[in-house]
Each structure stands twice: as structure tokens, then as C-alpha cells.
Amino acid sequence: MTTRRRFLLASASSLALLAITRSATAAGDDADLEALIARMTIEEKAGQLSLFADPLRLASRRINPDAGPSMVDSGLAQRIREGRLMGLFNGVGAADGRALQRIAVEQSRLKIPLIFGADVLHGLATVFPIPLGEAASFDPALAERTARAAAVESTAAGIHWTFAPMVDIGRDQRWGRVAEGAGEDPYLGALFAAARVRGFQGRKLSDADSLLACPKHFVGYGGALGGMEYNSAEMSEQTLHEVYLPPFKAAFDAGALSTMAAFNDLNGVPMMAHHRLMTGLLREQWRFRGMVVSDYTADRELVMHGVARNERDAARLSILAGVDISMQSDLYNQHLPSLVAGGEVPLAVVDEAVRRVLRTKKRLGLFDDPYRSLDPAAQRRDTRTPATLDLARESARASIVLLKNDRGVLPLRKTGQKIALIGPFGADTANLAGPWAPFSDMKDAVSLEQGLRNAMGGRATLTVVKGCDPERTIRGGIEDAVAAARDADVVLLALGETQDMSGEAASQTDILLPIEQQKLAEAVVAAGTPVVVLLRNGRALALEGAVRDAAALVVTWFLGTQTGNAIADVLFGEVSPSGRLPVSFPQSSGQQPFFYGHRSTGRPQTTAKDPYWKARYRYVSHDALYPFGHGLTYASFRYGDVEVGPGTLPWDGTITLAATITNTGRREAEETAQLYVRDRVASLTRPVRELKGIRKLRLAPGESARVTFTLSRAELGFHDEQMRFVSEPGAFDAWIAPSATAGKAATFELLGPAGAS
Ligand code: BGC
């Protein structure tokens, strides 16, 4: 046993050393940092690898369980003077940050500046739609702009580093953190990951308004079994590489210089101890040069995972796996000195982690100007500016998805129509921001009711009735709601989730609306007035009964500061809705995990009606109620056949796929054309469809446009059974369609390499 353990230990540290030797050659231009490292004690080095939640400025916020050492008691200032931390997170404010930075650069021995981090996922004071909602825009350029605006506001408030974007793929809607990512699809996920990194980091990392990005959580967290928070993930290497890793790769290719190691174990190895992925893949294969931070106390959790004997062992495993920074547990401070002294962790491993931290601080310009982004005047100037508020409205509008619009009940008229706004989210102001917006300033955020009133002005004939609380009945609530519905020409029924029903630590066993809201919906719809259901949600929901059958269904996610104005813009037709589902809405909760790009089975259902001997459930067909990519607007579009030219893709060439799309409606609107492919015959089962391209077009009534997409063999490749990335010649189906289940396929052939038989 001892021998085996020693062997493993020796091999892990020599692998870590190998990675270091390779990257050290690239560090030639950092002689200043080498000189600094040479002067550091092991305690100071451990300090540069330790990060803590800001104990002073966080006092009033309940973000995480209080699991760290109490620095209020032990003296934050003293810790900074001693160089026992690399920075602080989730404290916001330029003036306070400046005061703390002054202690670091004036009173600590080595004068190394602190870095300030925060969870800025979709805005700081101004809140943009939750990332899942914004992904529904299918518009990465928009996400880049909101990330940029969030960066400007955050850096003005003294933040250098955001723990975002969250790029975990979310294929199981029971998992609450689906809200934080870009949905179920790796292609869309990669586009949004890269866009958000570009937006956060801006032109140059050292610019005062550049926010260091931290794509998280590396990796597989979204694969949590049963959608249960913090659960193990089990997946094939192919799925890991083709579904969960691509958004990370895209984020690093876009320049992200940090990442966060996930809580979960993957096929039995906790990510915090995953040397093969954290060092082998990340450092050696992908040549990632940034820093890896643990998730909150995740190193200590190796003990509970049962792979570390104690906290000291946990620290050893984490640093050897390649996790540079320990968040909140203090384990590196406590144990790295003795681990190095005992020869269990090579000093070179610690030095390399310190080098990565210092190099990143240097790239951020903190050594040149420790007070960058710590200017109270900038904070006053750049917080909640009119331009940022306008952008919040624009992005909120673009995130709204119209699922259904029977008999053209939408858009509404501003006058001459009596509107009843019913439901727990009509006047609500407590659930606008979403689950992960701890620094939001929502004091004049726009509720749904307020947005409608703003749009309708004095002419409003709007009755507002709550009907029920999100998870509780109100005495007489249903009766009042039914009376209001009967008296109205149209009902807006605002249902959904409170913001703590999704997000971290908010997994659900089913994804239904709470029963109290369902009952309200049944009674209101039965009153006979046309009902428009407005859903507030952080995940796809399973819609049932009266909600499913309502005349119109609109997904509004959590839209942030401008919620009400944006929804009113869409309801009254100021803008035609343009959002598309980034997650499939299933028929039923029990279909989870459910996503369009599942592998081909041997017994696919051919019609939704045939329940026998097919891959489906007895009472529920294997379909989405509303598929990925779906979203209506106030116009309609006709898609022409997919044109595949000569129908062949040469091995080293490209193929152009095209289709003509016509606006057959009566108003100008935006359409999102989506290219999907399917490999007809391959050595492994392949997804029934895979998204390979999106194009947005805006067309006037009667106008047509031709969209084109170009593919090469790399985009048709996959990992074979031996994990070699291969493209296999043969036939492929291609769709240019408005959703993942619509359209008519055309076929083309990938030809083999010249000379191959
Ligand atoms: C979350 C991270 C977050 C961290 C710091 C953790 O609980 O998993 O996403 O960045 O806390 O707040």
C-alpha cells in the first residue's frame, strides 16, 4: 500500500515537473517576476496561491456558506501585510478596494498587488438577462457587448477578475445552474463562451476597463447525474471532448487567462485532483498559460470525496493536479510549506503556480499601476449609465422567446383592449435579476406591471391581480383572478420560478410549475378569455394542462434591470420577438436529460403516435414540446430547399450549403436560420442532428434572402473509439431550418482523400 502510494505520488509530481519545464522556456520575458519569486519565502508563495471572499464588504450578502477562516477576527489588514493572500473576491467598491490595495503595496514586505475578483455573470449593478436567456438571442455579438458593458461597470467598481463566463453545457434541466450557461448545445455554447471572453477582457488585458475572464467550471459539472447539484458526472471520453470541452477551448482560444476547477468528480476522479485533464490536457495539449483557481473550498472537499485522507493530503493532490489557487479553504496557506519541506510537493510546482499568478497580475497591469480600476470617480461615472440601461433593454428584448401565438393573439394593442395582468410575477420586483446577480442595484428595476404601464401611458386599462404567491395560495386569490379574467379582453398570466428556484444549489426533481400556479392557470384559462402565458424561468420547464394550451406562450427567463420595458416592447409589437430556445422544452419532466442532439438509437420512433418497441416512453413520445432553436415572431418565413451544389465535399476542400428564405408575413422581422448536419453512417453512433452554423437575417414583408454556410471535413469530424479525431467519408444529411426538428434534409458526400480507395 505504502509502496503504491509512494509510486503514485512520485509519478504525479514528476508529471507536474514535466509540464513546468516545458512552459518555463516561454517565461524568458518575465525576468522581473523570476527575481521576485527568488525573494519569496514559501509562506509568501502559499499566500499568492490563496484567495478569500472579502470578509468586510461581503458582510451583508449571503452568497456562499461561511466556510472560510474568519478574517474579520484574524485581521484582514494583518493578513495582507503578511502577504497571506493573492486577492479577495465578491467585495465591490473602488474606494474600499483602493484602501486594501494600499496596505498590500505599501505595508507588505514584497509589495505584490492584490487582485479583486467577483461573480459577475450578467452584469454588476445593471443586470442583463441571465446567460441562458441571453443565449436565446442566438446572437454572440450581443453577448460580447453586454459582457463589455459589465466589464466597464465592474472595473469601475474595483473588480479585476470575473468568475465568468459559466460555460458548462446544460442538458438536464433539473440542474439549477443551467441558468448560468448558454444551454444544451456545444456549438452555440462555444460561440457564446468566446464572445463573452472577448467582451469581458476587451482589447488589452492591462486596460483599466478590462476584466479578466474565468470560464468555469472545468469540466463536466453540467453532467451531474440526475441533474443533482454537486453530483458525480459519468460520461464517455467522446462526450467529454465533443460536448463539454468545446466551450472551454473556444474561451481559451479567445484569450481567457484563468479557469475554475469544478466541484464534481468525473468518472471517479474529482476535477480538483484530475492531473490528466488539468495539466495534461489544459497545459500540455492546449498550452493554456493562465491560472487555475479552485471552486469554493473544493480542495478541502477532496476529503469528503474520499480521495484525500485529510486536508493536507487534499492540498497536495490539488496543487499536483494543476490547481494553482485555493479558494477560501486556506489549505494552501496551511499546508504547502510543510508539503514542500517534506518533499511531497516539489518546490518547482509551487513556483510554477506562483509564476502563473504573478504573470497574470502583470498582464493585468497591476504591477505597473496597482490602483488600476480602483478609482471612485470612475465608479460614479460608469455605473448604470443611460447607454448601459439601453443595452440592458435591447438584450432583454432579444432574449424573449415566443413559443406559441395562436390566432395572432399577440401583439397586443395599447388602447381599446382591457388587459388583466394575473399571477405572482405581474407586480413582483424581487425576482427580476435572476439567481446569480449578487451585486445588482435593482432599486429602479422595471417590473412587468411597470413596463406595461410605461408603454400604455395614461391610456392603460390594466387590472393587476396576483392570484397566488409563487408557491402558496392566497385566500380568495383564484376567485379574484377569474373575475379579472372574465372582465378583460386578454389575460397576461405571469407564471414561473422565483430566482432561488434555479441557480446554484437549486436542483429540482421535476421541472413543473409549482402546483399553486398550475391551479391558478387552470381556473384563469377556463374563464374563456384568451390567455398569454409569460414564463419567468431559469431553465426549460415541462408545461402542462392549461399553461400548455394557452393561446400564447412567451419565455421571458430572468431579464434583469429592464424586464418590464423589454417584455412590453415585445407584447405591444414595438419589436417583433426574435429569441430562440437554447434548451429544448420537453413534453414531460421525466424525459430529462433531454436534448436534441442525442445519438441515433437502433429503434427510433418514426411517428410520435407509435408507442410500441421504440425508443420512447410509454405515454410520452421522444419529442420536444418545443425544440432547441424554436422561436416564433410576428411574421412568418418560408424556407426553400437546401442547395448542395455538386453535392460533394472534397477531402481537403469545402462545400457551400445554401437556402433561400422568404418573409411571408406582413411585417418586418428577424429570422435565425440554423444549419444542422447528420452523419448517415459512421464507425460510432452519431447525433441525430448537430448544429453547425447560425445566420440572422432581417427581412421586410415579401423579401427573400439567400443564406449560405460553408463546411469543411473538420466540422464533420468526431472522436472514434480510440479517441482519434477522425472525419469519415460518406453521406451526410444537411438541414437549413428554423429549429432542430424542422426542415427537409438534403444530402451531400464527404469524399475520401485523393488516392484512397
Ligand atoms: C460557485 C462558483 C463561484 C464561487 C465563488 C461557488 O459556490 O460554484 O461558480 O464562482 O462560488 O462565489
Side-chain angles (χ1 to χ4, degrees):
M1 179 67 193
T2 322
T3 333
R4 185 172 156 262
R5 218 184 64 71
R6 281 231 185 93
F7 169 74
L8 289 175
L9 197 140
S11 55
S13 33
S14 44
L15 280 172
L17 277 173
L18 189 69
I20 292 166
T21 331
R22 287 192 187 149
S23 80
T25 44
D29 49 349
D30 285 330
D32 49 346
L33 300 184
E34 295 308 319
L36 179 57
I37 294 170
R39 291 173 58 213
M40 292 171 82
T41 65
I42 184 67
E43 286 76 18
E44 285 163 335
K45 288 176 181 173
Q48 277 311 305
L49 305 179
S50 300
L51 177 70
F52 299 95
D54 188 314
L56 305 175
R57 292 182 287 169
L58 254 181
S60 58
R61 304 178 202 271
R62 198 186 147 270
I63 297 185
N64 265 305
D66 183 15
S70 166
M71 279 182 284
V72 181
D73 301 341
S74 62
L76 176 59
Q78 190 52 25
R79 266 194 179 240
I80 298 175
R81 273 182 216 110
E82 289 167 4
R84 302 288 302 281
L85 70 173
M86 55 97 68
L88 291 162
F89 69 96
N90 285 349
V92 166
D96 294 339
R98 206 176 171 85
L100 294 168
Q101 190 71 297
R102 174 158 296 128
I103 303 176
V105 297
E106 290 182 7
Q107 299 174 23
S108 74
R109 189 178 81 90
L110 296 171
K111 312 196 175 347
I112 301 174
L114 298 169
I115 185 170
F116 295 115
D119 289 283
V120 181
L121 276 111
H122 51 115
L124 187 87
T126 309
V127 183
F128 301 104
I130 55 167
L132 182 66
E134 195 180 55
S137 70
F138 270 48
D139 186 357
L142 176 67
E144 182 169 340
R145 286 165 62 215
T146 58
R148 183 87 291 272
V152 169
E153 216 173 60
S154 304
T155 50
I159 308 298
H160 309 117
W161 181 20
T162 176
F163 303 139
M166 194 281 218
V167 304
D168 297 325
I169 294 296
R171 298 191 145 189
D172 190 327
Q173 305 302 313
R174 292 170 296 181
W175 190 50
R177 300 198 84 170
V178 168
E180 293 175 57
E184 72 182 50
D185 184 73
Y187 176 83
L188 192 70
L191 289 182
F192 273 83
R196 288 179 169 140
V197 168
R198 285 194 301 270
F200 285 136
Q201 296 197 164
R203 266 178 308 127
K204 203 152 103 279
L205 220 45
S206 57
D207 288 345
D209 65 1
S210 172
L211 190 62
L212 173 67
C214 181
K216 67 185 184 184
H217 308 79
F218 195 80
V219 58
Y221 188 18
L225 286 174
M228 190 183 75
E229 185 64 300
Y230 311 127
N231 205 7
S232 304
E234 299 264 353
M235 67 180 73
S236 68
E237 280 290 306
Q238 283 82 3
T239 299
L240 174 66
H241 281 263
E242 286 161 27
V243 177
Y244 289 88
L245 283 169
F248 283 96
K249 183 70 170 66
F252 299 136
D253 288 347
L257 267 189
S258 75
T259 188
M260 185 183 290
F263 286 125
N264 57 284
D265 75 282
L266 181 61
N267 303 330
V269 184
M271 282 313 303
M272 287 295 299
H274 213 308
H275 185 273
R276 179 168 62 85
L277 291 177
M278 213 62 93
T279 295
L281 179 77
L282 198 56
R283 302 286 185 196
E284 295 177 9
Q285 220 175 305
W286 288 1
R287 304 269 162 201
F288 172 67
R289 296 197 75 222
M291 49 189 201
V292 177
V293 61
S294 79
D295 204 340
Y296 199 93
T297 64
D299 47 1
R300 188 161 68 199
E301 292 164 24
L302 291 177
V303 178
M304 291 309 289
H305 271 297
V307 301
R309 282 165 296 144
N310 50 37
E311 293 187 348
R312 185 169 184 278
D313 203 26
R316 179 183 68 80
L317 284 170
S318 304
I319 189 92
L320 290 180
V323 180
D324 302 311
I325 302 158
S326 164
M327 182 194 283
Q328 194 64 9
S329 65
D330 204 31
L331 292 200
Y332 282 11
N333 271 332
Q334 290 171 27
H335 300 295
L336 285 185
S338 80
L339 284 165
V340 168
E344 290 156 89
V345 170
L347 179 61
V349 170
V350 173
D351 283 352
E352 179 61 8
V354 172
R355 189 171 290 123
R356 289 170 187 148
V357 169
L358 297 180
R359 202 165 52 206
T360 310
K361 287 184 172 182
K362 183 175 166 184
R363 292 282 300 274
L364 278 166
L366 284 166
F367 283 102
D368 291 334
D369 177 12
Y371 297 107
R372 68 147 275 188
S373 314
L374 293 170
D375 173 6
Q379 185 170 6
R380 283 189 296 277
R381 187 191 63 218
D382 291 338
T383 302
R384 303 174 86 250
T385 63
T388 310
L389 292 170
D390 284 350
L391 181 60
R393 184 163 178 166
E394 180 190 340
S395 59
R397 287 197 297 231
S399 304
I400 295 170
V401 187
L402 177 63
L403 295 182
K404 176 184 185 188
N405 190 19
D406 282 356
R407 298 183 301 280
V409 55
L410 291 176
L412 305 175
R413 297 193 305 276
K414 287 184 185 167
T415 53
Q417 221 177 6
K418 278 201 280 180
I419 301 176
L421 174 61
I422 298 175
F425 298 105
D428 166 84
T429 51
N431 297 285
L432 302 174
W436 246 124
F439 314 105
S440 57
D441 178 350
M442 301 300 278
K443 61 178 174 299
D444 37 42
V446 185
S447 70
L448 178 53
E449 176 186 352
Q450 190 57 51
L452 296 172
R453 291 196 189 283
N454 292 347
M456 296 167 84
R459 302 157 295 181
T461 32
L462 183 71
T463 314
V464 183
V465 177
K466 202 170 183 191
C468 67
D469 283 322
E471 292 184 281
R472 256 182 330 132
T473 51
I474 297 176
R475 192 193 293 260
I478 290 193
E479 288 75 4
D480 291 349
V482 169
R486 287 215 176 101
D487 193 40
D489 298 314
V490 64
V491 173
L492 297 177
L493 187 55
L495 306 175
E497 302 187 295
T498 58
Q499 58 194 19
D500 57 7
M501 285 182 198
S502 54
E504 186 172 355
S507 290
Q508 304 278 10
T509 52
D510 65 49
I511 53 170
L512 297 168
L513 286 173
I515 184 73
E516 296 76 8
Q517 295 188 45
Q518 188 68 37
K519 282 185 183 151
L520 175 67
E522 299 298 334
V524 167
V525 169
T529 307
V531 172
V532 177
V533 172
L534 303 173
L535 293 170
R536 187 165 295 186
N537 49 327
R539 52 159 63 82
L541 298 170
L543 307 176
E544 295 197 323
V547 175
R548 185 176 175 139
D549 297 338
L553 278 168
V554 187
V555 176
T556 75
W557 319 104
F558 295 97
L559 291 176
T561 304
Q562 290 281 355
T563 297
N565 287 339
I567 297 176
D569 288 342
V570 167
L571 293 180
F572 291 113
E574 293 300 324
V575 295
S576 198
S578 58
R580 300 301 177 118
L581 287 181
V583 279
S584 305
F585 270 52
Q587 308 270 348
S588 163
S589 278
Q591 286 174 284
Q592 296 302 312
F594 184 85
F595 46 94
Y596 80 90
H598 60 82
R599 292 180 184 280
S600 308
T601 69
R603 293 189 175 187
Q605 72 172 23
T606 36
T607 74
K609 295 215 166 57
D610 179 9
Y612 297 110
W613 324 117
K614 301 291 187 197
R616 52 163 289 157
Y617 298 92
R618 189 152 179 220
Y619 298 117
V620 177
S621 74
H622 192 45
D623 294 314
L625 179 62
Y626 294 104
F628 175 90
H630 172 76
L632 302 176
T633 185
Y634 298 148
S636 48
F637 293 90
R638 190 181 57 237
Y639 280 65
D641 288 345
V642 181
E643 305 157 29
V644 293
T648 49
L649 165 53
W651 184 250
D652 286 318
T654 57
I655 186 169
T656 299
L657 307 168
T660 298
I661 299 172
T662 308
N663 181 344
T664 53
R666 274 182 299 180
R667 59 175 287 170
E668 184 182 299
E670 189 177 283
E671 175 64 357
T672 304
Q674 301 153 42
L675 171 70
Y676 295 93
V677 298
R678 174 184 190 158
D679 192 342
R680 281 223 184 148
V681 179
S683 57
L684 293 181
T685 56
R686 300 293 301 137
V688 296
R689 281 202 195 190
E690 285 180 277
L691 183 66
K692 294 292 174 187
I694 49 183
R695 293 272 183 284
K696 285 198 160 272
L697 51 159
R698 171 164 284 282
L699 295 177
E703 195 186 353
S704 295
R706 195 160 172 271
V707 288
T708 58
F709 298 90
T710 305
L711 288 176
S712 64
R713 78 165 192 273
E715 286 146 299
L716 305 175
F718 63 95
H719 294 83
D720 71 5
E721 218 199 334
Q722 284 75 44
M723 283 304 291
R724 292 172 306 212
F725 188 76
V726 293
S727 304
E728 296 181 346
F732 289 80
D733 288 331
W735 296 259
I736 296 177
S739 82
T741 56
K744 201 165 109 232
T747 301
F748 68 89
E749 185 165 352
L750 170 62
L751 303 176
S757 54

